[in-house]
Amino acid sequence: MTTNFGIVTACWKGDYFLVKATCASIRHFLGDVPICVVVDGNFSIQELENLYGVQPLYLSQLSNPELRRRCPGSSRAKLAAIWEGPFEHFLYLDSDAIVWGNLLEKFDLTTTDFVVMRPPLYGCLPKHEVSRWFFNVDTLLEIDPTFEWQNQPYFCAGAFAAKRNCFDLQEYLRLEALADQYPDLFKFWDQGIVNYMVFSANQAGLLKYKVVDIQVVTADHSKSTLEEQYPCSIYKTPQNVEKATIIHFCGNKPFIHKIKSFSKPFTTFRLLHYQKLMGDNISGKIKSIFQLFGEEFELLTNKAKSKFKRIINSQ
């Protein structure tokens, strides 16, 4: 059974700790809006179910066998919500994104099928940029010579809003088969495919989309600029935000140990999540901080282990 509107995010075991902050930000700014987490793997997200009433969507339990095969192991996991998610209309956020303010009034899915979220600074991308970030233009035009690739509002697929079944499932599976045949065709896992599906379906009269400026990709800005635009204390979540947006920590991830990374707003909601578990008193706050340091230490340890294995394997 589906409901009218909800928010979807996705995670695998390695970034489960990130999606906790995503969910905490949703609850803080958007109240009791339903949340679904697409789970890539068989680990439990009971903590999120208990705290936020999250609905899990396990990729291993998808009804379509091709989706069960295609979606795991990359950011394609998010695409499962388009055909098998619980919401008729949904906002999707990557696990390294947070809600910053009440943005639900910023878009409306009653008159459109898909909401592209991109800033005006992107402008009209030249061919070499489209080929770098989305799809190989020359190869795609050999396959679909009628596709009008120029002057499209290409976007980072870490945040968007959509109607359920806005894309034809068989068309998506056809594109995946093409990606198998031409490995360099679509870029960044799902990003190239999603952009192509939006604009090609629109040109065919099968989909309506609109563009809104509510996704900020941190890789597009300097740390100092971001700190000026999004001031906050990691110990106090903001109550009133002048310009509601989605902060997508793409590029340098919002880890504490990355000094050059802009991370404070994300850290705020990581702490808020654990304070909900451990208490908002002094003891709970201290435990929450230690929990974050433990997660960061595990990240660094795993990174060191991977580097060591690569060195050994190269001998």
Side-chain angles (χ1 to χ4, degrees):
M1 181 179 294
T2 59
T3 56
N4 190 40
F5 178 80
I7 298 181
V8 176
T9 185
C11 69
W12 66 290
K13 190 173 182 179
D15 62 6
Y16 176 44
F17 73 101
L18 291 179
V19 86
K20 297 175 183 180
T22 306
C23 291
S25 74
I26 293 168
R27 276 289 169 267
H28 178 72
F29 285 117
L30 306 182
D32 60 357
V33 62
I35 304 172
C36 171
V37 174
V38 180
V39 184
D40 185 358
N42 294 315
F43 58 96
S44 172
I45 62 165
Q46 192 66 49
E47 189 175 298
L48 297 180
E49 295 178 53
N50 293 341
L51 271 181
Y52 308 117
V54 161
Q55 304 175 55
L57 176 62
Y58 283 91
L59 295 181
S60 59
Q61 298 174 9
L62 296 176
S63 62
N64 186 283
E66 273 298 294
L67 288 179
R68 287 201 306 271
R69 183 173 75 88
R70 293 286 186 179
C71 290
S74 77
S75 59
R76 285 178 175 85
K78 70 182 73 169
L79 301 182
I82 294 175
W83 299 286
E84 299 201 22
F87 309 129
E88 289 292 345
H89 310 85
F90 66 93
L91 166 65
Y92 173 79
L93 305 173
D94 271 356
S95 62
D96 59 352
I98 59 171
V99 170
W100 192 257
N102 188 349
L103 50 74
L104 292 183
E105 296 180 355
K106 294 247 182 174
F107 59 90
D108 179 12
L109 284 167
T110 60
T111 59
T112 194
D113 303 304
F114 195 96
V115 179
V116 169
M117 298 178 178
R118 53 118 62 185
L121 67 87
Y122 284 4
C124 294
L125 298 181
K127 182 178 179 181
H128 72 275
E129 290 289 336
V130 176
S131 293
R132 177 185 179 187
W133 297 106
F134 302 100
F135 43 76
N136 186 308
V137 174
D138 291 332
T139 303
L140 185 61
L141 289 178
E142 291 178 8
I143 298 167
D144 182 3
T146 64
F147 178 62
E148 299 174 10
W149 68 269
Q150 293 175 304
N151 302 320
Q152 301 294 350
Y154 296 107
F155 61 98
C156 172
F160 59 82
K163 284 186 178 180
R164 199 168 189 260
N165 293 311
C166 62
F167 299 138
D168 179 76
L169 176 57
Q170 295 308 312
E171 171 65 4
Y172 165 67
L173 295 177
R174 183 185 75 85
L175 294 175
E176 287 286 11
L178 281 174
D180 291 339
Q181 187 177 355
Y182 303 95
D184 191 47
L185 178 55
F186 295 112
K187 311 295 182 177
F188 292 94
W189 302 287
D190 67 286
Q191 182 161 283
I193 286 181
V194 170
N195 272 263
Y196 173 69
M197 284 196 296
V198 169
F199 304 127
S200 63
N202 174 259
Q203 290 171 24
L206 302 174
L207 177 146
K208 294 180 180 179
Y209 74 85
K210 63 180 178 181
V211 181
V212 296
D213 175 20
I214 58 172
Q215 179 185 191
V216 172
V217 177
T218 57
D220 295 334
H221 307 276
S222 68
K223 182 179 179 181
S224 59
T225 298
L226 292 166
E227 288 177 339
E228 183 178 345
Q229 290 180 345
Y230 305 103
C232 69
S233 165
I234 63 172
Y235 302 109
K236 186 177 181 180
T237 50
Q239 298 302 316
N240 298 310
V241 171
E242 184 175 339
K243 183 180 179 181
T245 190
I246 294 162
I247 308 178
H248 183 192
F249 297 82
C250 188
N252 283 327
K253 298 302 180 185
F255 302 143
I256 299 171
H257 70 269
K258 292 198 170 192
I259 305 300
K260 295 182 179 180
S261 175
F262 173 66
S263 61
K264 190 176 288 185
F266 202 92
T267 303
T268 299
F269 286 104
R270 287 176 70 187
L271 282 172
L272 177 63
H273 171 82
Y274 287 118
Q275 286 169 18
K276 289 179 180 292
L277 281 177
M278 302 171 183
D280 195 32
N281 52 26
I282 296 297
S283 175
K285 289 180 178 179
I286 292 173
K287 290 178 181 177
S288 298
I289 292 171
F290 273 101
Q291 179 70 33
L292 261 64
F293 281 129
E295 290 171 350
E296 299 277 324
F297 179 76
E298 185 176 356
L299 281 172
L300 291 170
T301 301
N302 290 337
K303 185 177 180 180
K305 287 179 179 177
S306 297
K307 186 175 182 179
F308 181 73
K309 286 181 180 179
R310 288 196 300 269
I311 293 172
I312 294 298
N313 291 335
S314 66
Q315 298 298 314

